[in-house]
């Protein structure tokens, strides 16, 4: 039939002191009494058995679950909120104005450890959501933001009013000069048929889409 533990021990170490480790026990074969005697593996210098010796986890080594892309993240020791992109990098919201063109509140922000945050490289800045009206601090020209941070100048106040209503001027957000390099200039909007704010906002549903991540 079957090979017994005693057979295995005696075949491996045929002596009166033969022993093997099996299931957390030290098994010794006594040739004098022809029996197998078991003894638990103990912590060095004690009689305390080791709990699951082959599977004892290493302390202080937490398993970090992978982040889903497209989520908002912040470190537990810092209030700054980032967008975690499809390229595995984090993107900065320079101010709350930019954030609120994409999100209505902060309820979806996921907190992660400072170490996990530090391991995620910064990919760049989040730009205003397409469809937003903006201007630059040092330039009076008003632009509509298109996909991928493209700025399209409104050719006239009439076009601005037609596309954004009578309150269009109060909807304008100001881009600091030093953030202007995050955007690029595109074709101007010369007629109402050139641009539809609602359509472009609906099409660019998230930051991953806007940045082609």
């Amino acid at each position: 039939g079957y090979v017994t533990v005693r057979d295995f021990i005696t075949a491996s170490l045929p002596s009166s002191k033969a022993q093997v480790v099996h299931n957390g026990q030290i098994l010794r074969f006594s040739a004098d009494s022809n029996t197998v005697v078991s003894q638990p593996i103990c912590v060095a210098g004690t009689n305390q058995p080791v709990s699951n010796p082959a599977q004892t986890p290493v302390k202080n080594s937490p398993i970090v679950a992978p982040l889903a892309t497209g989520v908002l993240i912040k470190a537990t020791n810092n209030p700054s909120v980032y967008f975690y992109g499809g390229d595995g990098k984090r993107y900065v919201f320079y101010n709350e104005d930019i954030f609120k063109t994409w999100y209505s509140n902060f309820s979806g922000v996921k907190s992660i450890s400072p170490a996990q945050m530090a391991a995620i490289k910064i990919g760049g800045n989040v730009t205003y959501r397409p469809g937003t009206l903006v201007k630059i601090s040092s330039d009076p020209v008003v632009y509509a933001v298109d996909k991928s941070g493209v700025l399209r100048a409104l050719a006239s106040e009439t076009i601005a009013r037609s596309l954004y209503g009578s309150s269009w001027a109060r909807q304008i957000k100001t881009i600091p000069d030093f953030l202007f390099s995050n955007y690029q200039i595109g074709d101007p909007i010369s007629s109402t048929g050139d641009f539809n704010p609602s359509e472009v906002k609906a099409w660019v549903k998230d930051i991953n889409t806007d940045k082609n991540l």
Side-chain angles (χ1 to χ4, degrees):
Y2 297 96
V3 177
T4 66
V5 172
R6 189 185 70 178
D7 294 334
F8 175 74
I9 295 173
T10 54
S12 302
L13 295 169
S15 73
S16 61
K17 295 182 180 180
Q19 67 180 45
V20 294
V21 175
H22 179 70
N23 286 342
Q25 301 279 317
I26 298 175
L27 304 180
R28 289 188 175 89
F29 172 64
S30 172
D32 296 332
S33 61
N34 197 35
T35 60
V36 175
V37 179
S38 67
Q39 175 186 337
I41 300 174
C42 295
V43 177
T46 75
N47 292 319
Q48 179 64 42
V50 173
S51 175
N52 299 321
Q55 302 177 29
T56 302
V58 177
K59 292 183 178 180
N60 300 322
S61 299
I63 297 174
V64 179
L67 289 171
T69 62
V71 300
L72 296 172
I73 57 174
K74 67 175 288 294
T76 53
N77 64 344
N78 193 306
S80 298
V81 175
Y82 302 88
F83 175 81
Y84 184 60
D87 57 355
K89 297 179 180 180
R90 54 184 162 122
Y91 289 80
V92 180
F93 293 97
Y94 171 71
N95 58 31
E96 193 171 340
D97 262 356
I98 295 173
F99 179 89
K100 287 189 172 179
T101 62
W102 291 100
Y103 300 93
S104 59
N105 56 60
F106 294 91
S107 62
V109 178
K110 178 181 177 62
S111 293
I112 62 176
S113 71
Q116 189 176 6
M117 181 67 81
I120 304 172
K121 294 181 179 179
I122 290 179
N125 293 316
V126 178
T127 50
Y128 278 106
R129 186 171 185 172
T132 305
L133 285 178
V134 299
K135 66 179 290 296
I136 303 164
S137 301
S138 58
D139 186 349
V141 176
V142 176
Y143 302 88
V145 181
D146 207 342
K147 184 179 182 295
S148 302
V150 172
L151 301 181
R152 303 184 63 185
L154 294 169
S156 69
E157 183 177 334
T158 301
I159 293 174
R161 187 179 295 106
S162 296
L163 293 177
Y164 291 90
S166 58
S167 64
W168 67 272
R170 293 195 295 273
Q171 300 175 45
I172 300 171
K173 308 292 185 182
T174 300
I175 302 172
D177 287 352
F178 66 88
L179 289 180
F180 182 65
S181 60
N182 293 164
Y183 300 82
Q184 55 184 318
I185 302 297
D187 296 332
I189 300 172
S190 301
S191 70
T192 55
D194 291 342
F195 187 76
N196 186 313
S198 298
E199 284 186 2
V200 72
K201 185 176 181 179
W203 180 55
V204 184
K205 59 183 179 179
D206 56 31
I207 297 168
N208 274 331
T209 303
D210 189 46
K211 290 187 173 295
N212 297 310
L213 301 179

